[in-house]
Amino acid sequence: MHSSTFLIGDTQVLNLVFLATDFTGEPWIRSPEEVSGIVWIDPGEQEGPVPIPPWTADSIRKAVERHTKIYF
């Protein structure tokens, strides 16, 4: 639903946010050499299971906005 890329120091970051409407279980990382973390976050909650960086909070907001719009 939303992605962004940026640098933190010398580290290139790719931030991906997907919107899931039906899921169960715990998320898992298939390629740990490529992915540093993954969590389920309810966009209606103010706090997630872990501290949410501002860029991820912004991506969640944009994903929710995109999902609620109707496109023709």
Side-chain angles (χ1 to χ4, degrees):
M1 294 295 294
H2 189 264
S3 65
S4 57
T5 60
F6 49 91
L7 290 173
I8 297 180
D10 292 335
T11 303
Q12 178 72 37
V13 176
L14 171 61
N15 186 50
L16 299 170
V17 171
F18 297 93
L19 183 62
T21 57
D22 185 29
F23 63 87
T24 58
E26 293 296 318
W28 56 279
I29 297 173
R30 185 176 207 159
S31 301
E33 67 280 358
E34 296 179 10
V35 178
S36 64
I38 184 172
V39 295
W40 293 122
I41 297 173
D42 183 338
E45 295 178 5
Q46 295 295 327
E47 300 283 327
V50 297
I52 301 170
W55 54 84
T56 301
D58 185 54
S59 292
I60 292 169
R61 181 186 57 75
K62 289 176 181 175
V64 170
E65 286 175 0
R66 189 169 290 136
H67 179 68
T68 58
K69 291 183 180 178
I70 298 174
Y71 294 95
F72 294 91

